[in-house]
Amino acid sequence: RIYKREINNLDGDFSLSSENIYDQLEIQNLKDKKKKIHEKIVNILANKLKKKFQVYEDPKGFDLYAFQEEGSLLFEVKTIDNNSFISQTRSAIIQLEEYEFINKTIYSHKIFQGKIKKIIIYDTDPIKLENNKKINNYLLFLDKLNIDFYYLNGEDIEINI
């Protein structure tokens, strides 16, 4: 479906206090906050892409799909930290491949039949995380798979499209 949402009230603290790390309410609050960050990124991205593309969302599938006859963009948005970068990146890779396969091959959606560039958008710059060697290896892996990545920088995503 065509993206039409607007997101409000996304300011606030998105950290889990160390003394409440096992508190189920704190954990649920953190999940809710990460979901808000995710929605914020999707909204920023959709508004940026609407200038050049027809933008679609699939709440049960891909985060965003930007269609253009000359080439389209398939996005997966991930929130990351030092502990989740690898698992989130692996998940994004599989999700992007699966979404393209299902929409192009299984459902034969017309807008998925052209050239599709896959892109992961992170909520933070992965280069700034700890464990740079492993992170750099995964970023090289993304390059080998021809999957681009970008990240939220303040209130913007600097994306080359």
Side-chain angles (χ1 to χ4, degrees):
R1 70 180 185 204
I2 293 178
Y3 184 89
K4 296 180 187 175
R5 292 183 287 160
E6 293 197 22
I7 306 299
N8 299 318
N9 193 17
L10 295 171
D11 297 327
D13 179 18
F14 294 107
S15 60
L16 183 62
S17 60
S18 59
E19 59 268 0
N20 292 329
I21 198 159
Y22 299 108
D23 183 328
Q24 292 303 311
L25 183 58
E26 284 285 315
I27 292 168
Q28 186 58 50
N29 286 340
L30 181 61
K31 287 179 183 176
D32 292 344
K33 289 174 184 177
K34 287 202 176 265
K35 183 176 180 184
K36 284 183 181 180
I37 294 170
H38 184 277
E39 291 299 317
K40 175 183 178 178
I41 293 169
V42 170
N43 191 53
I44 290 169
L45 191 58
N47 287 326
K48 183 177 280 260
L49 294 168
K50 284 179 183 179
K51 297 170 187 165
K52 295 182 181 179
F53 296 86
Q54 185 74 38
V55 180
Y56 297 88
E57 67 174 336
D58 181 357
K60 295 182 181 178
F62 56 83
D63 288 325
L64 281 179
Y65 184 69
F67 173 73
Q68 202 178 58
E69 291 289 334
E70 300 82 36
S72 299
L73 309 170
L74 180 59
F75 293 92
E76 183 59 30
V77 175
K78 292 295 181 188
T79 58
I80 56 169
D81 58 30
N82 290 318
N83 297 320
S84 67
F85 172 78
I86 292 172
S87 63
Q88 288 287 70
T89 300
R90 291 168 116 187
S91 175
I93 292 167
I94 294 300
Q95 286 173 289
L96 288 166
E97 294 295 329
E98 179 183 33
Y99 299 150
E100 180 182 32
F101 174 76
I102 288 171
N103 287 286
K104 184 180 269 191
T105 307
I106 303 296
Y107 296 130
S108 300
H109 289 307
K110 182 180 175 185
I111 63 172
F112 276 83
Q113 298 310 310
K115 181 180 174 189
I116 299 171
K117 178 69 185 157
K118 297 178 205 87
I119 302 172
I120 300 171
I121 305 289
Y122 296 112
D123 68 320
T124 191
D125 182 354
I127 301 296
K128 293 182 179 176
L129 297 176
E130 296 171 8
N131 203 352
N132 282 346
K133 186 174 181 175
K134 269 195 169 185
I135 288 170
N136 285 336
N137 288 342
Y138 270 85
L139 297 178
L140 286 171
F141 184 46
L142 290 178
D143 186 56
K144 180 169 176 39
L145 295 172
N146 200 26
I147 297 174
D148 288 350
F149 78 92
Y150 298 94
Y151 57 91
L152 182 65
N153 186 6
E155 295 296 314
D156 193 23
I157 301 162
E158 296 174 21
I159 183 167
N160 300 322
I161 51 170

